[in-house]
Amino acid sequence: MIEELVTAGAATASAGALYVMAAARVVKQYERGVVFRLGRLLPEVRRPGLTLVVPIVDRLHKVSLQIITLPIPAQEGITRDNVTVRVDAVVYFKVVNPSDALVRVEDYRFAVSQMAQTSLRSIIGKSELDDLLSNREKLNQGLELMIDNPAVEWGVTIDRVEIKDVSLPETMKRSMARQAEADRERRARVINADAELQASKKLAGAAQVMSEQPAALQLRLLQTVVAVAAEKNSTLVLPFPVELLRFLERAAPLPGAQEAGASPASSGQGATVATAASAGEAADPEALAAQARELAGEFPPGTSGDVVRQLLEGLGEKGVPGLVGERAVSEAEPGTPGTLAGAEGEGEGEERTDAEGADGSGDAPGEGGMRG
């Protein structure tokens, strides 16, 4: 009797152990269990931990509540401003109602993926290229709303949607690069022009101050010479007033006077007088001296101004017609009044003419003056 009871107890314990082993299920912390009993959904959702189901009768489906990362394949479309682009994105979603996720949709992952691709193509067609490149936050919010509306019925909520990359054609990339380069060049030119405007104002103020204090210009010239001399080179800086060149150009002889001075005399004293008269009209000593004194008065007082005034007054008093152009001093008649060469060779030319006339030579007096 006792043996039968022991055997029956052992059999019952074995059956209970087998039943527990067949009915026991473990639900993890991030999961929820949905039980179907004979094909019908039980309203109670099994919580994490150890749970028991009826073997053969119940079916337990575990649903993860973790956030799922679902990449969206690159979608090619045409924007509202007719630009072909390829856009890919990523969707973050999670299940909030395990029962709806199993009952209302066959495969909620695949459903969310297809809805995301369709919404991405739609958002590409409604947006412009600039919005895709610079205003992505707004597009992400719009794309999230488009995917989340139907997903709510599936027991799924969209956490966020992010556009990862926007691929442009190579021609469009080159066009955008040229546009950006042109814009940067425009800004650089505007900045340079503004800098030149400010510098011109400062230079104008500096010129006004130097005009009031002539010694400042001399000091600036000395600073420039010191700066050039500091370098190890063979550069020679020689300041030369531009007004002196202008005076010499205005004092150059006329072409008629040069031709008259260069042509030989045909007969003795008459040709010499005519040559002297024409050369005197071309370069009047009194006029040149007055012009030199007038121009010398324009220079400010100082070392450079005193030197230029002395040089101009000396040239005017000697009657030098010019030092530039065709070397009028060397080519003029020695006997021409009002010239430096004429002043030096006047006596010598008359002596040679008298001597040659006394000897009976056939040379004209004008030729003797030219040789002198």
Side-chain angles (χ1 to χ4, degrees):
M1 184 69 179
I2 296 176
E3 293 180 355
E4 293 179 356
L5 291 175
V6 172
T7 303
T12 304
S14 301
L18 292 175
Y19 177 81
V20 170
M21 293 178 59
R25 298 288 186 273
V26 177
V27 180
K28 297 179 181 179
Q29 181 65 35
Y30 55 86
E31 294 178 340
R32 296 295 183 269
V34 179
V35 179
F36 289 90
R37 179 167 294 173
L38 299 177
R40 294 188 62 182
L41 176 65
L42 296 181
E44 183 182 0
V45 177
R46 303 301 173 89
R47 308 293 297 178
L50 180 63
T51 183
L52 297 177
V53 296
V54 179
I56 303 174
V57 177
D58 294 342
R59 293 289 184 270
L60 179 66
H61 296 271
K62 299 177 182 179
V63 179
S64 176
L65 300 184
Q66 291 178 320
I67 295 178
I68 301 173
T69 303
L70 181 65
I72 303 176
Q75 303 297 314
E76 184 173 356
I78 300 176
T79 61
R80 192 166 61 180
D81 49 355
N82 298 325
V83 179
T84 303
V85 295
R86 289 177 60 88
V87 182
D88 56 348
V90 58
V91 180
Y92 301 91
F93 69 96
K94 63 180 179 179
V95 177
V96 294
N97 193 337
S99 300
D100 292 341
L102 291 176
V103 175
R104 292 182 178 273
V105 63
E106 180 182 3
D107 187 353
Y108 62 90
R109 292 175 180 264
F110 182 74
V112 172
S113 176
Q114 295 300 313
M115 179 57 66
Q117 296 180 30
T118 304
S119 301
L120 182 58
R121 285 193 294 267
S122 178
I123 207 72
I124 290 173
K126 294 179 181 179
S127 305
E128 295 184 355
L129 180 61
D130 294 338
D131 295 334
L132 290 174
L133 297 176
S134 60
N135 196 11
R136 293 190 179 183
E137 293 295 333
K138 183 178 179 180
L139 296 180
N140 292 338
Q141 294 176 2
L143 189 58
E144 180 180 348
L145 291 176
M146 295 179 65
I147 301 175
D148 190 56
N149 288 334
V152 172
E153 300 179 357
W154 305 335
V156 177
T157 181
I158 305 300
D159 187 68
R160 62 185 306 174
V161 181
E162 294 288 343
I163 295 177
K164 292 197 301 183
D165 187 24
V166 179
S167 300
L168 299 175
E170 293 298 329
T171 55
M172 180 59 64
K173 291 181 180 179
R174 289 193 293 268
S175 300
M176 295 177 66
R178 289 195 299 267
Q179 179 183 0
E181 183 179 359
D183 185 64
R184 287 193 297 269
E185 184 177 358
R186 178 185 62 83
R187 291 199 300 268
R189 290 183 178 180
V190 171
I191 294 173
N192 289 336
D194 190 14
E196 290 180 359
L197 177 60
Q198 296 178 6
S200 63
K201 293 180 180 179
K202 297 295 182 181
L203 290 175
Q208 184 177 3
V209 173
M210 288 184 179
S211 63
E212 296 175 358
Q213 300 292 335
L217 184 60
Q218 185 68 20
L219 293 176
R220 187 69 184 89
L221 176 60
L222 294 177
Q223 291 178 358
T224 305
V225 172
V226 171
V228 174
E231 300 179 0
K232 297 181 179 180
N233 52 24
S234 58
T235 304
L236 178 62
V237 179
L238 180 62
F240 194 81
V242 181
E243 288 78 3
L244 180 59
L245 294 177
R246 294 176 181 173
F247 167 72
L248 296 177
E249 290 177 358
R250 290 197 296 268
L254 298 176
Q258 294 179 0
E259 294 177 359
S263 60
S266 59
S267 62
Q269 187 68 23
T272 305
V273 174
T275 303
S278 61
E281 294 177 358
D284 188 4
E286 295 180 359
L288 290 176
Q291 188 177 8
R293 287 191 296 272
E294 180 181 358
L295 183 60
E298 298 179 0
F299 288 90
T303 305
S304 300
D306 295 342
V307 173
V308 172
R309 281 197 299 274
Q310 293 176 6
L311 178 60
L312 291 175
E313 291 175 358
L315 292 176
E317 292 175 357
K318 291 183 180 182
V320 178
L323 298 177
V324 295
E326 300 178 0
R327 297 193 298 181
V329 176
S330 62
E331 295 179 359
E333 282 288 341
T336 302
T339 61
L340 183 60
E344 294 177 354
E346 182 177 357
E348 183 181 354
E350 291 178 356
E351 293 176 359
R352 290 186 181 182
T353 303
D354 296 340
E356 290 176 358
D359 294 340
S361 61
D363 295 340
E367 297 177 355
M370 291 179 64
R371 287 192 299 270

